Amino acid sequence: MNPVPYMETLQRIAAGMGPQRGFQSSLKSLLALLAERHGFLRPHLVIFDPETRTLRLCVADGAPRSGQVVYEPGMGVTGQVFVTGKPVIVECLKGHPVFLSKFFVRTEEELSSLAFLSVPVLAPQLGWEPGREQAARKVIGVLSVDTPRASRDVLERHRCFLEVVAGMIAAQATYLQDDMARQQRLAERRGDRPHVPGDLDGGMIAVSESMCEALKQASYAGHGRGPVLLRGEPGTGKSRVAAFIHAASVRNELPLVRFYASRLRESGPDALTGEQAERELLGYRKGAFPGAVQTRKGLFELANCSTLFIEDIDCLSLSLQTQLLHVLQDQAVVRVGGGQLVDVDVRLVCSSSADLEELVAKGQFLEDLYNRIAVFPITLAPLRERTEDILPLADLFLKASAEAAGRTVERISTPAQELLAQYPWPGNAEELAQCMEQAVQVCDDLVLRAAHLPQALQTSDDKRTALPFNDAVARFEQELLVDALQHAHGNMLQAARDLQVSYRIVNYKVKKYNIDPRSYA
């Protein structure tokens, strides 16, 4: 391949990164240049946020799925590149066991026709020291691109080129990281800390007695050292409680590492085979299987001195359960392909939606493993059994969805609240979050109304008795009055103009429904 285009691009990058331009603008132009000159798709830069210990999408040439999406170190290809400090080449996106595709939407055709290159961005060296190796430098981010599938040689040349680019932008990436931390501290001083997916503040509300008790137990578990088993139906928030337990533990200075065992029962690009799951958990040696071109650490090693969360542990095969039991007994792992024992100090938090006792009785789950992981069990009740949490959670998800969609939705109308409160929520809090996200997409008002909710909620209220006509009209009038007074900041004359009625009617209705306009001033 002709190296001239690479050299010309590097010269243009160097020329465009002077002090006369802001680092955000410089990086945006750089990514656009990569796309224009080399046919890379969706070039993007991810930076590690030391305040939240997550990897955040900072600059991209392309429309991301959502600005709220983050990776944890070790999660997906991006997280693995950050943790290992080594580049990764995914020769085909479709069916790759680690590639998660969280930042961008890709069609099935693109997944089949594209490769993915990801290289670490290392902190710039302050000065040369004898014997100092590049590997000792701290990883501060990850530079990644999609590219059409090609031979391994072509992809390797692209990878080498991107590593040079990553070295050139190291200083700008450092500025981005510093600015990110500064903005986070400012937000905390103002008391409006931004939502981080996976954080308790971003999706766990304890109003009901059962949820308050569960979080109280999780707090106790956080201060302990033994394994924790989180039980409950899918969507009840087990993943977020696992993050809470880790944050409350003495291991919280290192990131929480996650393994989604449910991928063993899925189909599609995120699915795992038993062999792939074994390699992901235990790691593997170079040459252990075709394609093992270098030795890799598994999630147990990456979680050393931290916490490993295994979601849906009941999905593990008996073979993987046996290996997991050995790791817990020996506090050491043997990578796939053999070799010496590698000592690990890992705290295990597991979750399950299944009846593990029944699986043990059927011989589908190892009793010894069950006894080891169930040292501290915590059960999360389904949403239908803690109805007090539904509306506070709905308000929380409404604000997050509106912010992500760039819209302003101030509140949920009373009829919509009634539908939300009466729905049984078989998918629990996860279904509620999806419901509010869908409703925000079709909401064309400052108030989210019953008509904006998914059809399933509007047709599931068979037991609901209809309001008498006069009561329904009165409730609708109150809604309109409250909305108008909110927009007019309590000014009844302006509210009357907005509603296109006389001031006398507004004044009469306000008194009739005992509404205090001053509360909206």
Side-chain angles (χ1 to χ4, degrees):
M1 180 177 291
N2 186 359
V4 173
Y6 287 146
M7 296 303 299
E8 291 177 349
T9 301
L10 295 176
Q11 289 172 352
R12 290 179 60 175
I13 290 174
M17 293 174 63
Q20 71 277 7
R21 302 186 64 185
F23 51 83
Q24 188 90 22
S25 176
S26 296
L27 290 171
K28 187 81 174 176
S29 299
L30 178 151
L31 296 181
L33 187 65
L34 294 179
E36 175 190 345
R37 290 184 56 83
H38 301 280
F40 295 144
L41 301 174
R42 306 179 186 92
H44 58 280
L45 176 64
V46 173
I47 299 295
F48 177 67
D49 182 351
E51 296 290 323
T52 62
R53 296 190 171 276
T54 55
L55 294 160
R56 306 179 69 84
L57 181 64
C58 286
V59 190
D61 183 57
R65 189 188 300 264
S66 167
Q68 299 294 323
V69 176
V70 297
Y71 276 67
E72 292 184 2
M75 177 188 290
V77 174
T78 299
Q80 290 192 0
V81 170
F82 174 79
V83 170
T84 63
K86 304 294 184 183
V88 168
I89 296 176
V90 177
E91 296 184 347
C92 178
L93 297 184
K94 188 174 181 62
H96 192 273
V98 183
F99 185 77
L100 299 181
S101 192
K102 290 181 64 176
F103 285 138
F104 301 95
V105 176
R106 297 173 175 87
T107 65
E108 285 295 318
E109 182 181 353
E110 287 180 314
L111 291 173
S112 299
S113 62
L114 293 177
F116 184 73
L117 308 175
S118 191
V119 300
V121 179
L122 306 178
Q125 288 180 315
L126 299 178
W128 181 82
E129 296 178 13
R132 184 180 183 184
E133 299 293 334
Q134 189 183 52
R137 292 159 60 190
K138 183 173 66 172
V139 181
I140 58 175
V142 178
L143 175 65
S144 304
V145 301
D146 291 2
T147 186
R149 292 179 63 182
S151 67
R152 186 73 186 188
D153 288 344
V154 171
L155 295 178
E156 287 286 356
R157 281 193 281 269
H158 285 333
R159 188 264 306 164
C160 291
F161 167 67
L162 287 177
E163 285 188 297
V164 176
V165 174
M168 296 178 70
I169 66 173
Q172 281 77 6
T174 302
Y175 297 149
L176 268 180
Q177 188 179 54
D178 292 341
D179 185 67
M180 187 186 298
R182 182 167 57 253
Q183 294 298 329
Q184 185 82 8
R185 289 192 293 270
L186 288 173
E188 289 176 351
R189 288 175 192 162
R190 293 194 305 265
D192 56 352
R193 182 166 169 259
H195 162 60
V196 178
D199 193 338
L200 270 181
D201 295 338
M204 295 298 297
I205 286 184
V207 177
S208 63
E209 183 178 349
S210 62
M211 198 62 193
C212 286
E213 180 61 28
L215 292 184
K216 184 178 179 181
Q217 293 178 4
S219 180
Y220 292 151
H223 297 298
R225 296 181 178 273
V228 180
L229 176 61
L230 302 174
R231 313 191 69 163
E233 294 179 2
T236 48
K238 298 185 290 293
S239 178
R240 289 189 175 95
V241 174
F244 173 69
I245 292 172
H246 174 68
S249 74
V250 296
R251 300 169 179 260
N252 61 10
E253 292 187 1
L254 293 173
L256 173 69
V257 178
R258 300 173 185 263
F259 176 75
Y260 300 96
S262 58
R263 289 181 293 160
L264 285 159
R265 295 181 181 173
E266 293 177 351
S267 58
D270 294 335
L272 281 181
T273 65
E275 292 79 8
Q276 290 168 335
E278 181 183 15
R279 298 167 194 166
E280 191 170 328
L281 282 168
L282 306 179
Y284 54 83
R285 294 184 63 192
K286 179 179 179 181
F289 54 90
V293 296
Q294 56 184 333
T295 297
R296 293 283 188 185
K297 292 182 178 180
L299 294 182
F300 271 102
E301 290 183 72
L302 296 177
N304 189 40
C305 299
S306 185
T307 305
L308 175 61
F309 174 51
I310 299 182
E311 187 179 62
D312 295 316
I313 191 171
D314 52 281
C315 293
L316 296 181
S317 66
L318 288 174
S319 173
L320 282 171
Q321 291 176 34
T322 301
Q323 295 188 64
L324 177 57
L325 179 61
H326 288 322
V327 173
L328 295 176
Q329 290 172 337
D330 302 332
Q331 288 291 292
V333 297
V334 178
R335 294 172 182 157
V336 175
Q340 294 182 336
L341 283 170
V342 180
D343 292 333
V344 290
D345 174 14
V346 175
R347 187 190 191 182
L348 194 64
V349 177
C350 304
S351 75
S352 176
S353 303
D355 186 338
L356 291 181
E357 291 84 356
E358 182 179 347
L359 294 181
V360 169
K362 292 180 177 178
Q364 298 172 1
F365 199 89
L366 296 180
E367 184 175 5
D368 287 345
L369 179 59
Y370 171 78
N371 292 333
R372 279 193 171 266
I373 65 173
V375 174
F376 201 128
I378 299 175
T379 300
L380 303 182
L383 198 53
R384 62 183 175 276
E385 294 178 10
R386 47 186 181 98
T387 54
E388 307 98 309
D389 294 334
I390 293 175
L391 294 183
L393 277 171
D395 281 329
L396 186 76
F397 294 142
L398 171 67
K399 292 175 183 176
S401 298
E403 182 181 351
R407 301 191 178 191
T408 301
V409 185
E410 295 178 352
R411 66 183 183 87
I412 304 173
S413 71
T414 302
Q417 289 183 12
E418 290 180 352
L419 287 180
L420 292 170
Q422 293 167 355
Y423 186 67
W425 300 110
N428 294 297
E430 184 175 343
E431 183 184 5
L432 177 56
Q434 294 173 353
C435 168
M436 301 314 293
E437 182 178 359
Q438 294 173 24
V440 164
Q441 295 300 322
V442 299
C443 182
D444 54 357
D445 196 350
L446 293 176
V447 179
L448 192 145
R449 305 189 185 279
H452 298 137
L453 296 174
Q455 193 64 31
L457 271 73
Q458 301 182 46
T459 57
S460 67
D461 55 339
D462 298 331
K463 298 180 182 179
R464 181 167 62 99
T465 57
L467 284 174
F469 178 76
N470 289 337
D471 290 346
V473 171
R475 180 169 296 178
F476 185 62
E477 282 187 339
Q478 292 178 59
E479 258 195 82
L480 292 178
L481 276 171
V482 169
D483 290 345
L485 288 168
Q486 284 181 331
H487 295 154
H489 303 291
N491 187 322
M492 288 199 296
L493 183 59
Q494 182 60 48
R497 290 174 184 152
D498 293 340
L499 292 171
Q500 299 181 17
V501 296
S502 68
Y503 174 84
R504 183 181 61 82
I505 290 178
V506 170
N507 187 48
Y508 168 73
K509 296 292 185 182
V510 161
K511 292 178 179 178
K512 176 183 177 181
Y513 298 124
N514 195 27
I515 298 172
D516 183 7
R518 292 171 298 180
S519 64
Y520 305 107

